[in-house]
Amino acid sequence: MSLKHAILGFLSFTPLSGYDLKKAFDNSVRHFWPANQSQIYRTLAQLEEEGFVTKEVIEREERLDLKLYHISEAGRVEIHRWLSTPLPEQDSREPFLIQVYFGGRLPDEDLLPLLRRELHVTEERLGVYEAIYAANRHRTSAIADERAVFLSLLTLEVGYTTNQAIAQWLRTAVARLETHDYTIHIGEQ
Amino acid sequence: MSLKHAILGFLSFTPLSGYDLKKAFDNSVRHFWPANQSQIYRTLAQLEEEGFVTKEVIEREERLDLKLYHISEAGRVEIHRWLSTPLPEQDSREPFLIQVYFGGRLPDEDLLPLLRRELHVTEERLGVYEAIYAANRHRTSAIADERAVFLSLLTLEVGYTTNQAIAQWLRTAVARLETHDYTIHIGEQ
DNA sequence: CTGTCCATGTAAGGCGTTACATGATTGT
DNA sequence: ACAATCATGTAACGCCTTACATGGACAG
């Protein structure tokens, strides 16, 4: 379960509350691993049961207790083990490609807007990635070295390049449909 | 729910049994929408309840009845509606990128094999796509026109180009780690 | 005084996976 | 004779989402 390990990853830097973790996810890995609040709290409970984290309860008269989670030694071993273990092959699910696959059922006037819209969404995503990068490129981290910062930015880079490839594909797909040029470009350079 | 609509998509060509559908998925859309058997049977039952398909029971003395599912008129309306309706933004989940993101916790000797392995898997996938394409490039379909065949092959094309982008990214990431060159390439050409 | 942030959780439901269960037919 | 294919399903569980519920602190 990757959520567990992402949480352990964050806690390996510093103790955090469930609320802090939610913000950490939203500020960093949401593009490839969104996490929602209720799931984080439940997963923390599981991690505690498994002995990978310990809970420090900080009482604050009148307000809700703050619960800070610390990674345990077993948790450090576990995150290291997971990080260095190859993952089983994942299967992807892309509903948009189902629409393309069965797109023959639609006339161009219904299909082309769908493709153009997807291109638009993809281009916007590229802009978001650029903005995040611009905001982070000169970051130096208190908790991580240059190499660690580089690795975290690599995840942004791969998001950027794959979205570029998708945008390019969509542009040529639209162009081919418009000109009734039904040729496919795979393999041969 | 995309599985429902993928099933309707297949049934819009010809009536099929649950077993046939499983094969249809495995032979065509499994790279972007794997479906397993038990789920197909449950979803067919739902589609029947909703009136999008009708079941034709074919009795075959001594053997299990064969159940052929036909798309209904309501089903045709529904698949057309769904195909031409933009999907809400999907969020992706890529556990491998969590490993990269927290890769700073690992020394090169643990991290590099992980990246090289991922590159190898990606290159194999490219080979699979090429093979599928080679087997299909001269296909003419009895049930679909040239444009429909083109659209179905477009899904292969996008899989190919995104995997090419990922392979390229992995190669340069490995090279940068090896030379301790921690620069990121986003945006600027 | 209204909204946003801080901070915790519970409940219900949907989609998907894995394992289990059955049994005839066809190919080697 | 044995395995693979044809063909149907059920049960249980896991991960994730959405909605619900609560309430103080702080900023405009």
Side-chain angles (χ1 to χ4, degrees), chain B residues 17-19 37-38 41 60 64-67 93:
Chain B
S17 68
Y19 186 85
Q37 184 249 54
S38 51
Y41 283 109
R60 302 173 302 173
L64 275 181
D65 293 349
L66 176 68
K67 288 158 194 177
R93 270 162 216 286

Side-chain angles (χ1 to χ4, degrees), chain B residues 18 22 40 61 72 74 86 97 99-100 115 121 134 139 157 163 170-171 179 181 184 186-187:
Chain B
K22 171 63 175 156
I40 287 172
E61 72 282 345
S72 69
L97 294 187
Q99 294 189 321
V100 174
L115 295 176
V121 169
R139 163 166 67 109
E157 198 186 271
N163 274 281
L170 285 165
R171 277 183 216 108
T179 58
D181 163 23
I184 291 288
I186 284 180

Side-chain angles (χ1 to χ4, degrees), chain B residues 80-117:
Chain B
H80 189 282
R81 185 200 63 73
W82 184 81
L83 283 177
S84 48
T85 303
L87 297 159
E89 277 227 52
Q90 306 295 312
D91 44 42
S92 55
R93 270 162 216 286
E94 319 241 11
F96 176 67
L97 294 187
I98 297 188
Q99 294 189 321
V100 174
Y101 188 89
F102 293 109
R105 296 266 145 214
L106 294 179
D108 277 350
E109 71 204 59
D110 290 332
L111 182 60
L112 286 172
L114 221 63
L115 295 176
R116 292 203 187 95
R117 198 194 117 99

Side-chain angles (χ1 to χ4, degrees), chain A residues 78-89:
Chain A
E78 173 58 18
I79 182 64
H80 189 283
R81 185 200 62 74
W82 185 81
L83 284 177
S84 48
T85 303
L87 297 160
E89 276 227 52

Side-chain angles (χ1 to χ4, degrees), chain A residues 47-128:
Chain A
L47 284 168
E48 201 191 356
E49 257 182 61
E50 292 168 317
F52 294 142
V53 305
T54 58
K55 176 162 57 175
E56 178 192 1
V57 179
I58 297 171
E59 278 158 45
R60 302 172 302 171
E61 71 282 347
E62 303 305 315
R63 298 187 54 181
L64 274 181
D65 293 349
L66 175 67
K67 288 159 193 174
L68 265 193
Y69 290 87
H70 298 250
I71 193 167
S72 68
E73 198 41 45
R76 287 194 192 277
V77 171
E78 173 58 18
I79 182 64
H80 189 283
R81 185 200 62 74
W82 185 81
L83 284 177
S84 48
T85 303
L87 297 160
E89 276 227 52
Q90 306 295 313
D91 43 43
S92 56
R93 269 160 217 286
E94 319 242 11
F96 176 67
L97 294 187
I98 297 187
Q99 292 189 322
V100 173
Y101 189 87
F102 293 109
R105 297 266 146 212
L106 295 178
D108 277 349
E109 70 204 61
D110 290 331
L111 182 61
L112 286 172
L114 221 63
L115 296 176
R116 290 202 188 97
R117 197 194 117 100
E118 190 71 14
L119 175 58
H120 182 246
V121 169
T122 305
E123 284 169 339
E124 294 223 310
R125 205 154 30 218
L126 286 172
V128 170

